[in-house]
Amino acid sequence: MSSAGRAAPDPGLVVAARQGDRRALDDVVAASLPLVYNIVGRALRGHADVDDVVQETLVRVIRHLPALNDPAAYRSWLVAITIRQVRDWDQRRRVALDRDAGLDAIHNVPDPASDFAGMTILRLGLTDQRREVAEATRWLDPDDQELLSLWWLEETGELTRAEIAEAASLSPGHVAVRIHRMKEQIQSARGVVRALRARPGCPDLGAVAAEWDGTPSPLWRKRLARHVRDCAFCGRLGAAFLPIDRLLAGMPLLPLPAGLSAQLPSATVPPAAVPHPPGVAELAVHAPRGLVPYLAGGVVAAVLAITTLVVALPDDPVAAPSWAAPPAPASPTAVASASASPSRTPSPSARPSSKAPVAPAVSSARKGVGVWNFAGASQALASSKAGWYYTWGTQHPGISTPRGATFVPMIRSAENVTAAELTRARAAGPYLLTFNEPDLPEQANMTVGQALDLWPQLMATGSRLGSPAVAWGGADQQGWLDRFMTGAEARGHRVDFITLHWYGADFTTAAAVNQLRQYLQAVYQRYRKPIWLTEFALIRYDGGRQQFPSQEQQAAFLTAATGMLGQLSYVQRYAWFGLPATDKDRSGLFSDGTRATVIGRAFQAAR
């Protein structure tokens, strides 16, 4: 049994926190974080707003703790507050969708970079049937996601049925009926997940799924499950399913993000320099030392300092989230760009400043950029609002990581598969990009056999591995990537996501965006794995020469393409090529640390 839920703060600690003991309040909030994070994360299906809702929940816990009559009931009270914040978030989202009807698809798609089921599989190392159950939860009806978050915690021993009923404002009997219906949905989704992953697969299932875009949904669960139920081949695949309850009981709480768990014991926020009355406000103004690093560090992309939030928040209604009003459209833009990747070298990552600015640092965790050093690179990277970046190496010399952003390492070619490079890659984070354009002589220049032979050393890092990033032909049968993926499956090698590059030769915005979409869909249909698009822009190659669109065309493409990418849930991250703008790198975003190009301004506005 996990210590995160049942080992909630004892009543004495809660009483001390209510009375103004700041150290006790720190400990109460730190003990509450894992339970809140798990409820919110699963209920929101890994949406980009998970961290914001966790923050809002803990702010209210701090503010209203003195009003808690029974300290022994703290955990039930905490769960009820958390569910209320989830419902408030959903209500705000629905209002925003009704107002901005044209943005439905974008707002409705959970952030794939934060996919809760995917994180569960990755961080807990789930295998076989537990993995299938975690993946099956992606297919649930939206109304059941909130109940799933509570039932999951019941099965792992963190909540009781009575606490679920109280938090959901339902009778225990009604909760039982809803849970039974939800379990039936998960069971049918398990059959779909297994049938889709079967090798060799059912040809009739492929025909049924021909128009499916690869995004799990209740509608497609029903359609595919109907085939699985009636098909003799697919039906046999589910004959050995273990009961869901037994599988979930063996799955502990999802660990807190590394950025949070690593910083919980540190940093104290000074008292807010504003007048405040005693009691609730006294507790609220002094944010716990564990909460603030979480909110200001790398886990949360864009938040306000908690002291500012608490003083500014109204008593009950939650301030409108950052996505409630869409950003103003970027002015049309342009520039052209890109050439062979410049030389990229490694460097230790800079620590983010403990004094976080109030303004949001990044606009999306999935938006990234390729970076090499130039005058003002660190300032330009921070101004770009990119949520992540990479340098074609395992280090980033002279480039500081902005607050809220992350650095993703790369093992660029065979010569980089060394003990020192692999150690740096392992230390840099949970993801690892691999061999850069192995199908080109001027880049990694590797055979499929060479890449497969070296792959076990990359797997040994424990990182989540992206496939080698081919320059083109990712969806081609018997192409470089297809032969690599076939060989990886035959050898039992793990490949967690597909990495792609794409450069468009048609400078008409609609045509270019459509071609990119078709390419991504074809690759996803072939491999059924998440995709990272790590280089893209408009460049036409003609007899070895590069031709570029106008600045207006390039910027218009960037704006339209990122909007399209936001609607493809299997595209986990993307990275523009690249940050510097020079005569050679003409699709770049910044000409120096302070001067954004027209393309750069479009990138800043993109999500």
Side-chain angles (χ1 to χ4, degrees), residues 90-107:
D90 187 61
Q91 184 178 10
R92 295 195 306 268
R93 181 182 64 90
R94 292 176 187 276
V95 169
L97 291 179
D98 289 342
R99 185 189 64 231
D100 304 318
L103 300 177
D104 290 18
I106 296 175
H107 286 318

Side-chain angles (χ1 to χ4, degrees), residues 48 111 113-114 301 362-368 387-388 406 572-573 607:
D111 183 355
S114 310
V362 306
S363 56
S364 171
R366 66 204 303 265
K367 179 176 78 174
W388 70 283
T406 56
Q572 289 191 336
R573 297 193 182 187
R607 294 184 63 85

Side-chain angles (χ1 to χ4, degrees), residues 434-458:
T434 66
F435 310 133
N436 186 73
E437 298 183 349
D439 48 339
L440 292 185
E442 62 271 24
Q443 295 298 325
N445 192 27
M446 300 171 66
T447 66
V448 170
Q450 286 176 311
L452 290 170
D453 290 342
L454 292 170
W455 203 254
Q457 297 183 59
L458 274 58

Side-chain angles (χ1 to χ4, degrees), residues 153 285 406 604:
L153 293 169
V285 170
T406 56
Q604 288 172 319

Side-chain angles (χ1 to χ4, degrees), residues 119-396:
M119 291 192 297
T120 305
I121 293 167
L122 172 64
R123 297 185 186 176
L124 299 184
L126 303 183
T127 57
D128 303 330
Q129 295 202 31
R130 287 197 176 103
R131 174 188 291 269
E132 289 173 343
V133 170
E135 292 181 353
T137 63
R138 294 182 171 121
W139 298 79
L140 281 180
D141 292 326
D143 291 344
D144 283 325
Q145 292 294 339
E146 175 187 303
L147 182 62
L148 170 67
S149 70
L150 299 178
W151 178 62
W152 192 291
L153 293 169
E154 179 189 23
E155 291 301 318
T156 55
E158 302 298 327
L159 293 176
T160 66
R161 179 60 61 86
E163 289 170 334
I164 293 178
E166 181 178 350
S169 301
L170 299 172
S171 68
H174 192 180
V175 169
V177 170
R178 285 196 56 193
I179 287 178
H180 177 73
R181 185 190 68 181
M182 179 187 64
K183 288 165 64 176
E184 289 182 335
Q185 292 184 359
I186 295 177
Q187 188 71 4
S188 68
R190 290 175 73 187
V192 171
V193 169
R194 181 170 291 189
L196 288 172
R197 288 183 172 273
R199 295 293 183 273
C202 170
D204 293 335
L205 178 63
V208 174
E211 297 181 0
W212 178 48
D213 67 356
T215 303
S217 70
L219 175 61
W220 276 100
R221 184 197 72 232
K222 295 172 184 175
R223 291 181 180 178
L224 299 176
R226 188 180 306 118
H227 166 84
V228 171
R229 184 177 60 250
D230 298 337
C231 174
F233 177 86
C234 295
R236 286 196 301 269
L237 297 174
F241 278 145
L242 292 173
I244 300 172
D245 313 64
R246 284 173 53 191
L247 293 170
L248 291 189
M251 296 169 60
L253 270 180
L254 184 69
L256 295 171
L260 164 58
S261 56
Q263 299 186 63
L264 272 175
S266 62
T268 305
V269 174
V274 295
H276 54 274
V280 173
E282 180 65 36
L283 284 176
V285 170
H286 302 296
R289 64 178 181 273
L291 178 59
V292 173
Y294 166 48
L295 300 177
V299 177
V300 180
V303 295
L304 301 178
I306 190 170
T307 49
T308 305
L309 269 175
V310 171
V311 173
L313 278 173
D315 286 338
D316 245 347
V318 180
S322 58
W323 48 260
S331 53
T333 348
V335 166
S337 112
S339 54
S341 308
S343 71
R344 289 120 181 162
T345 46
S347 95
S349 78
R351 294 190 176 183
S353 168
S354 60
K355 293 186 177 180
V358 171
V362 306
S363 56
S364 171
R366 66 204 303 265
K367 179 176 78 174
V369 64
V371 179
W372 54 98
N373 214 339
F374 67 104
S378 296
Q379 186 176 355
L381 179 59
S383 298
S384 74
K385 298 183 181 292
W388 70 283
Y389 72 103
Y390 73 105
T391 60
W392 291 268
T394 57
Q395 301 179 73
H396 44 99

